[in-house]
Amino acid sequence: MAKYGFDLHIHSCLSPCAENSSLPADMAGMFALSGYKIAALTDHNSCGNCRPFLKACDHYSMLGIPGMELNTAEEVHVICLFKTIEDAERFSDYVYSTLPPVKNRKDLFGDQLYADELGNITGEEEKLLINASSIGIYQVKELAEQYQGLAYPAHIDRSSNSLLSNLGLWDPAMGFELAELSYSCPEDLLKKRKDLKGLKAIRATDAHRFGQIPSAPGQFMELESLDIPSVFEWLRTYAPSI
Amino acid sequence: MTVKELSEAMYLKEFCLPAPELEISGGYSGDLLSWVMGRAEEGNAWLTIMSNQNVAAVAVMTDLSCIILTEDVQPDPQLLDRCKKEGINLLGTALGTFDASARLSEVLGREQDHIAW
């Protein structure tokens, strides 16, 4: 068994709110430089930059996981992780079809850039990716599983786009096996809530730019082998409780 | 009615008021930005408890006349900056969204019989 530093919520220049300099390959490189061994790219409603991210992770001897930060119909952000790039991209195509036909206003939201593993900009996404999909929160777990994915709500302690702020409480019927917390969430804030008792939770950087990447990993997972099925098993079974 | 007239009639707090003469076409109350983007109409006064910076972006996209933060919600510093930069009227009230909507409707002179049932 070995311990691996991880972060499973990272954005690239495809997210309008991220810097244009947050190229997927460079985000991978910067996390590797800080000592991370497992990293997931989770742009808003798209896996469109996951391919170059995974190639860069390989290059830096880090396990890369293709993912997405899905925005549900209730505007709750949910992290969806996948075992293969093919599954992720199929899921991404489906999510894209559920987004309203609203164009991105670059002057208001920022650019949505596709890039390759060498850092070349290869295209631009015209549809506004931070919009809400028509996928309801109660559908997400099962939908992700249809693509061999694992889904759990992002930054539940935040005051916007979070499960607790938008829906009020953790309903086990949603089926989520764990939750993500911000690093800024105080240890005891959620301990008082009955609805979260015993809930498994991990923290995430939600890094949109280099400056938000910590100098060292804040959490680790212990695995027999460094692969995505083992990461999923750890998250479902061994992640710490709130 | 202009935003400035509304602000005075409803005793609103003026966080920033760069375009006081904009005409108000009606109101929209809601907190899910995707709904506001798809349903609010040009010139509407928007009542919401959301105070992050995307609120300003939605207001520009939809050409709203003003944002009114209800429930005594204070704007995030980024929202206030964004409103100043984009020239958006940002107001506030201690009333809840329901009461503020009712008051807005009253001030705008919309009566029940104007509503198509």
Side-chain angles (χ1 to χ4, degrees):
Chain A
M1 295 279 248
K3 280 189 172 180
Y4 303 101
F6 68 95
D7 194 72
L8 305 178
H9 187 162
I10 301 168
H11 291 268
S12 77
C13 49
L14 183 54
S15 296
C17 37
E19 299 288 322
N20 287 353
S21 56
S22 300
L23 299 162
D26 288 349
M27 291 303 273
M30 293 301 278
F31 270 92
L33 207 57
S34 288
Y36 286 79
K37 292 291 176 205
I38 303 167
L41 185 69
T42 54
D43 281 311
H44 294 292
N45 289 329
S46 180
C47 300
N49 268 349
C50 284
R51 244 172 225 276
F53 180 81
L54 297 186
K55 281 187 188 165
C57 286
D58 267 353
H59 180 78
Y60 295 116
S61 307
M62 189 165 63
L63 175 66
I65 301 177
M68 172 193 295
E69 183 173 22
L70 173 70
N71 194 7
T72 71
E74 302 85 356
E75 298 190 3
V76 173
H77 286 180
V78 179
I79 297 295
C80 302
L81 305 177
F82 300 92
K83 289 178 184 160
T84 67
I85 184 69
E86 290 78 15
D87 284 333
E89 287 176 343
R90 282 194 304 119
F91 181 80
S92 187
D93 287 345
Y94 175 69
V95 170
Y96 191 86
S97 75
T98 72
L99 292 176
V102 175
K103 278 193 169 184
N104 181 27
R105 280 268 311 260
K106 292 192 269 186
D107 56 326
L108 298 174
F109 296 104
D111 294 333
Q112 301 182 144
L113 305 177
Y114 291 106
D116 65 16
E117 67 272 24
L118 300 173
N120 302 304
I121 302 301
T122 53
E124 228 174 304
E125 178 53 53
E126 291 215 331
K127 220 182 204 186
L128 179 60
L129 290 174
I130 54 164
N131 225 324
S133 69
S134 63
I135 301 165
I137 187 89
Y138 283 82
Q139 296 168 257
V140 177
K141 176 195 152 80
E142 212 167 296
L143 181 67
E145 282 175 356
Q146 285 171 23
Y147 298 83
Q148 281 42 263
L150 172 64
Y152 54 90
H155 44 64
I156 62 165
D157 53 301
R158 287 239 197 112
S159 61
S160 61
N161 294 124
S162 91
L163 188 143
L164 296 183
S165 73
N166 287 23
L167 300 179
L169 82 167
W170 182 278
D171 179 0
M174 292 181 288
F176 297 121
E177 294 159 283
L178 71 153
E180 180 203 284
L181 304 176
S182 318
Y183 271 104
S184 58
C185 175
E187 283 286 343
D188 62 336
L189 186 72
L190 301 164
K191 283 195 173 141
K192 298 169 199 152
R193 295 184 59 127
K194 279 185 187 164
D195 57 334
L196 304 179
K197 211 172 175 189
L199 181 67
K200 291 184 173 57
I202 56 165
R203 298 205 180 226
T205 64
D206 195 1
H208 284 68
R209 51 192 66 89
F210 298 155
Q212 294 171 330
I213 302 172
S215 54
Q219 58 192 345
F220 298 83
M221 58 174 83
E222 215 171 326
L223 303 175
E224 297 258 9
S225 60
L226 188 57
D227 53 45
I228 299 177
S230 302
V231 171
F232 282 15
E233 195 199 343
W234 186 89
L235 291 170
R236 287 185 165 122
T237 318
Y238 302 106
S241 297
I242 281 177
Chain B
M1 172 175 266
T2 67
V3 175
K4 184 65 190 173
E5 285 163 351
L6 176 76
S7 172
E8 283 165 5
M10 284 182 66
Y11 306 104
L12 299 173
K13 187 167 183 182
E14 296 172 359
F15 295 116
C16 77
L17 197 61
E21 300 307 321
L22 278 183
E23 277 291 322
I24 297 170
S25 63
Y28 188 89
S29 307
D31 304 317
L32 291 187
L33 304 190
S34 55
W35 281 64
V36 181
M37 227 185 285
R39 285 171 175 79
E41 291 170 8
E42 191 181 332
N44 278 182
W46 173 23
L47 289 81
T48 183
I49 56 162
M50 299 303 281
S51 65
N52 61 59
Q53 59 171 332
N54 281 342
V55 166
V58 169
V60 175
M61 273 184 102
T62 326
D63 276 328
L64 301 176
S65 53
C66 64
I67 300 161
I68 304 173
L69 300 179
T70 58
E71 306 271 9
D72 219 7
V73 166
Q74 301 301 302
D76 287 357
Q78 297 94 323
L79 173 61
L80 190 54
D81 285 352
R82 202 77 194 269
C83 286
K84 286 177 182 162
K85 204 176 121 210
E86 306 279 354
I88 301 162
N89 297 315
L90 182 64
L91 305 157
T93 175
L95 294 175
T97 302
F98 175 81
D99 289 326
S101 302
R103 184 82 184 111
L104 173 67
S105 180
E106 196 187 323
V107 167
L108 289 177
R110 294 172 56 183
E111 292 162 9
Q112 283 296 312
D113 56 6
H114 289 164
I115 299 166
W117 291 97

